Amino acid sequence: MSGKEFPDSESVTWQSHRQHERPPDLRFLHFNDVYHIESGSAEPVGGISRFQTVANHYRSHLQYANLPGLLTLFSGDAFNPSLESSVTKGRHMVPVLNNLETAVACVGNHDLDFGVAQFRHLKNQCNFPWLLANVLDPGLGENQALGGCDKTVLLEASNGIKVGVVGLGEREWLDTINSLPSNLNYKSASETAKELIPELRAQGAQIIIALTHAREPSDIKLAEKTPPGLIDLVLGGHDHFYAHQIINDTHVLRSGTDFKQLSYIEARRKANDQPGWDFDIIRRDITRAITEDKATIQLVDKLTSSLRHKLEKPIGYTAVPLDGRFTTVRTKESNLGNFVCDLMRHYYDADCALMAAGTVRGDQIYPPGVLLLKDILNCFPFEDPVVVLRINGKAILEALENSVGLVPALEGRFPQVSNIHFAYNPNLAPGSRVTWTKIHGEPLVLDKSYTMATRGYMGRGKDGYDSLLVRSEGGEAEEIVSEENGILISMVLRQYFMSLKVLGKWARWSASLHRHWGGVHDRLHAGSKVHEPSTLKNGTKHNRTGIVRAYAEKAKTDVDGRLVDSDTDDEKDHHYDGLASSVGSVGSVEEKKGREMHIARVYTRRWMDLAGIERRDVGMVGEKTGEWDLPHWTKGIAPRVEGRIVVEGDNGGVGGGGSHGV
């Protein structure tokens, strides 16, 4: 059952030892939680063009010619979050899913990020049904599923075998969605399965698959609470890892994330007319060794070409690795989390900042060197702005208890903080895990008023942050800066890097901007977190040489004797800066490219002048052989881990002194 063309990327997840007895009766391909259509840098690199190659192989390679046709099943989360979705609102994923010949999908929480109406619009463009059986919307009518989804579907394989599929979600992720209809009715996944699966059997289903978007513990509970044999296979999503186990004779499988993994499954009826099915499961990692599908390369180019030039623009520099991996930000303090929370706090001069780790979506380490605009938008794609709340110490303590209440699960509610130091013991009961807390080095006072910078998402009580719910939503938190007036995290970061002013001032840099950003820098970098490039060790090079070299090839002249900054100098180009909302339709493609070329030429020349690099040194057309150091056009940030979050108990953490005041 292996693919001979790329055997090094496969591993056996489960083997029934019956694969040599006879051909399979059914063949499935399963994947879940896909966001970035382009390949990454670390193995497995993923990317839809290589993923499509593997899918095509299992669908149409000669070795499968006489076998049942492939049925592709998807467990949700495609329309957000990603850099592309911040512009397209998810529509770029429709042709991707259709080209994979997806047979059926289960709704994921992020598929609803842009609202139910947008989801329904995208759903109607898909060539397959979307399922969600246990979340009902009374506004659509009695017993109607959220988003107008189907509850079940009966698929028929090429050999006539009927496959019953039921789509199930979990209650917890409903709390993570910004805008949902009121009075939704959530039903137990196991009870829903018990109700609907007999109907599928009555329609002739010979095998039952639960297609879910739920954490692994919820899928395990589903298998435990349903009678053996009711569900043959649970194909899950929501988690971003690959895992398999058998519960009550039911296989429970999740297939990785982000086009980096998939599962190929062969199913055979049990021998000797016994009820049930035997499964052989292969995990396939999408590695660089896999050839990219040419047609999909063209599709990706078409989907991303309108963004590429803008998004490849260097915007900042890091002197240290920035750790944005899910396994870091959702379990412990991260230097990237510290930097962003510090910036949020100082931008609004708040007492403290708290950001749910699910805000950080890059899931990678950003190495020392140039940061691109797409790095920022990929890592912080959400559209809700930073807000500032006035709350008491008790609300802060409750927020921290919520943030660590589900540890060790990799939940997005885990905190990253600024000017908050606290300790928690994961061995204690949820709601009583935080053992001490300090704000600005002083013990937290429960009845004292504090200002907190956070995401608007949390100010709406999402992810269990009920204590941060604002008054306009029925809570107790006072809004000092509301969502309507707040600024996106991605935009705060962009403005911060511009405000370093090494490259040049904004064309309309005012005295108030100077005062504001001067104060932000004085406070943010009091601990020497900005490094001059000259302090880096010899031999350190930027990791994005090719990007700036490409601009250097185009650099020629100033315009009207003025030097333009790294963003834009023209109000008519403000639609360029709205990537988190829309690329807009202002101007033709040629006009956009011309404007981008203009900016590239101007600030590339500025870099070279500041670094003392003469144009003849690089040939102005990039013809010099060998590597060359890029101009150090901005200072390098160097945030560090500082012991803001202390883990006590089995992990050997120690207390920081003090307790919650009264």
Side-chain angles (χ1 to χ4, degrees):
M1 61 186 290
S2 66
K4 296 178 181 178
E5 295 178 353
F6 26 80
D8 293 340
S9 67
E10 75 169 16
S11 58
V12 176
T13 298
W14 181 260
Q15 202 164 45
S16 67
H17 303 291
R18 296 189 59 220
Q19 65 270 27
H20 301 299
E21 292 181 8
R22 59 185 177 85
D25 297 299
L26 291 167
R27 298 191 307 127
F28 303 105
L29 186 148
H30 175 248
F31 66 110
N32 57 275
D33 297 81
V34 291
Y35 308 108
H36 304 103
I37 60 176
E38 294 187 286
S39 299
S41 56
E43 293 283 14
V45 296
I48 182 56
S49 59
R50 290 184 172 90
F51 193 94
Q52 184 75 57
T53 295
V54 178
N56 291 346
H57 170 84
Y58 287 123
R59 186 174 306 282
S60 57
H61 193 273
L62 288 177
Q63 74 182 89
Y64 307 107
N66 298 318
L67 301 182
L70 188 71
L71 292 174
T72 299
L73 301 98
F74 174 56
S75 287
D77 269 12
F79 296 144
N80 197 52
S82 70
L83 175 61
E84 293 81 11
S85 64
S86 68
V87 175
T88 70
K89 303 298 184 289
R91 66 179 178 272
H92 70 288
M93 291 300 292
V94 172
V96 170
L97 296 175
N98 284 341
N99 285 357
L100 289 169
E101 298 188 38
T102 305
V104 61
C106 176
V107 178
N109 54 307
H110 286 303
D111 297 315
L112 299 163
D113 277 349
F114 298 114
V116 177
Q118 176 67 2
F119 166 73
R120 297 190 72 167
H121 173 68
L122 299 174
K123 175 177 71 74
N124 292 337
Q125 298 176 47
C126 293
N127 298 333
F128 53 88
W130 287 80
L131 307 181
L132 189 59
N134 62 325
V135 182
L136 306 180
D137 182 1
L140 297 179
E142 185 178 357
N143 210 31
Q144 295 298 303
L146 175 64
C149 291
D150 296 325
K151 296 180 181 180
T152 64
V153 68
L154 193 65
L155 304 175
E156 185 169 338
S158 61
N159 57 4
I161 295 178
K162 293 183 178 180
V163 180
V165 185
V166 57
L168 300 168
E170 69 176 4
R171 185 191 303 274
E172 285 76 9
W173 62 248
L174 292 174
D175 293 333
T176 72
I177 302 173
N178 288 333
S179 56
L180 285 177
S182 59
N183 303 318
L184 289 181
N185 180 18
Y186 172 83
K187 297 177 63 176
S188 160
S190 58
E191 293 303 314
T192 301
K194 293 175 187 177
E195 173 189 339
L196 296 179
I197 289 175
E199 298 177 9
L200 285 170
R201 293 287 190 187
Q203 296 171 36
Q206 296 157 274
I207 184 174
I208 296 295
I209 296 175
L211 197 61
T212 75
H213 193 81
R215 297 291 187 202
E216 186 179 38
S218 297
D219 283 344
I220 292 173
K221 186 181 297 184
L222 171 65
E224 289 175 339
K225 290 192 171 184
T226 51
L230 185 72
I231 301 172
D232 297 291
L233 182 63
V234 176
L235 298 178
H238 202 33
D239 288 316
H240 294 176
F241 54 80
Y242 194 102
H244 168 265
Q245 54 188 302
I246 300 176
I247 308 292
N248 279 350
D249 294 327
T250 298
H251 288 256
V252 178
L253 176 70
R254 54 234 315 108
S255 299
T257 186
D258 221 7
F259 295 120
K260 294 181 179 180
Q261 298 90 15
L262 60 79
S263 294
Y264 171 66
I265 307 165
E266 292 183 350
R268 294 171 175 83
R269 292 186 179 90
K270 285 187 176 291
N272 302 321
D273 295 325
Q274 297 181 60
W277 295 79
D278 288 319
F279 296 100
D280 293 284
I281 304 171
I282 287 289
R283 167 179 172 164
R284 178 71 65 183
D285 288 343
I286 309 303
T287 66
R288 191 172 281 106
I290 297 171
T291 304
E292 295 181 273
D293 178 68
K294 292 182 180 179
T296 308
I297 292 175
Q298 294 176 356
L299 173 63
V300 171
D301 185 67
K302 179 180 179 181
L303 293 172
T304 61
S305 60
S306 62
L307 304 175
R308 186 170 298 125
H309 293 291
K310 177 70 176 179
L311 300 177
E312 294 288 350
K313 185 178 67 177
I315 195 170
Y317 178 87
T318 175
V320 298
L322 301 177
D323 194 345
R325 294 172 296 178
F326 285 173
T327 51
T328 299
V329 298
R330 297 183 180 216
T331 60
K332 57 188 174 183
E333 177 187 349
S334 157
N335 69 335
L336 176 59
N338 286 352
F339 173 67
V340 174
C341 287
D342 285 348
L343 189 52
M344 290 165 55
R345 175 169 68 94
H346 291 305
Y347 185 90
Y348 286 111
D349 201 18
D351 294 323
C352 59
L354 192 155
M355 175 181 73
T359 306
V360 182
R361 305 302 300 188
D363 196 18
Q364 63 180 289
I365 294 176
Y366 297 90
V370 172
L371 295 171
L372 306 181
L373 177 56
K374 73 176 182 180
D375 293 328
I376 292 175
L377 293 181
N378 261 328
C379 200
F380 300 97
F382 295 109
E383 294 187 314
D384 58 305
V386 179
V387 299
V388 180
L389 310 178
R390 180 174 284 113
I391 53 179
N392 60 25
K394 181 175 180 290
I396 294 177
L397 177 59
E398 291 175 358
L400 294 176
E401 288 285 6
N402 171 71
S403 71
V404 298
L406 297 181
V407 172
L410 295 180
E411 287 289 333
R413 68 183 62 192
F414 190 86
Q416 297 293 320
V417 297
S418 175
N419 210 28
I420 297 175
H421 291 75
F422 76 100
Y424 76 96
N425 188 332
N427 300 316
L428 300 178
S432 302
R433 290 181 168 180
V434 177
T435 56
W436 57 265
T437 309
K438 292 184 177 181
I439 304 289
H440 201 58
E442 299 294 330
L444 180 73
V445 180
L446 297 182
D447 59 358
K448 181 178 178 179
S449 177
Y450 298 90
T451 56
M452 172 184 284
T454 187
R455 276 181 63 194
Y457 170 88
M458 299 162 69
R460 279 178 268 113
K462 300 296 184 180
D463 256 348
Y465 282 100
D466 297 335
S467 66
L468 304 184
L469 187 66
V470 297
R471 291 175 182 173
S472 60
E473 298 286 337
E476 298 295 327
E478 177 188 351
E479 293 176 274
I480 300 175
V481 177
S482 67
E483 285 197 75
E484 182 178 352
N485 297 314
I487 184 170
L488 298 177
I489 291 177
S490 59
M491 188 58 68
V492 174
L493 285 163
R494 293 176 68 186
Q495 291 186 2
Y496 159 77
F497 282 116
M498 291 174 65
S499 71
L500 285 170
K501 300 189 296 294
V502 174
L503 184 58
K505 294 182 179 181
W506 300 351
R508 297 172 180 81
W509 186 268
S510 64
S512 60
L513 277 173
H514 185 85
R515 287 193 300 271
H516 171 73
W517 283 106
V520 169
H521 282 284
D522 288 344
R523 295 187 297 270
L524 182 64
H525 300 301
S528 300
K529 294 174 186 173
V530 167
H531 289 195
E532 295 290 348
S534 59
T535 64
L536 297 177
K537 295 181 180 179
N538 291 335
T540 299
K541 293 179 183 287
H542 298 275
N543 64 319
R544 308 295 174 89
T545 300
I547 300 299
V548 182
R549 184 187 300 243
Y551 286 134
E553 293 175 1
K554 304 177 181 68
K556 287 186 178 180
T557 184
D558 305 51
V559 176
D560 300 329
R562 292 186 295 113
L563 290 171
V564 186
D565 70 355
S566 64
D567 204 68
T568 179
D569 187 48
D570 199 326
E571 288 185 355
K572 71 182 179 182
D573 283 302
H574 282 181
H575 67 281
Y576 278 98
D577 296 325
L579 288 176
S581 301
S582 173
V583 292
S585 58
V586 181
S588 67
V589 173
E590 290 76 14
E591 289 173 333
K592 293 180 181 179
K593 289 183 177 179
R595 181 60 185 169
E596 290 165 351
M597 181 70 74
H598 160 72
I599 295 172
R601 287 170 174 168
V602 173
Y603 66 64
T604 300
R605 177 170 178 165
R606 184 68 185 275
W607 289 337
M608 297 169 69
D609 290 343
L610 287 173
I613 296 177
E614 297 185 20
R615 294 179 182 87
R616 65 173 179 269
D617 292 337
V618 294
M620 284 312 299
V621 290
E623 295 178 350
K624 182 178 179 180
T625 60
E627 291 291 321
W628 50 280
D629 287 338
L630 298 178
H632 294 306
W633 52 272
T634 187
K635 297 178 181 180
I637 61 170
R640 59 184 182 271
V641 173
E642 302 172 342
R644 300 179 184 186
I645 303 174
V646 178
V647 183
E648 297 180 336
D650 292 341
N651 291 307
V654 293
S659 59
H660 310 122
V662 293

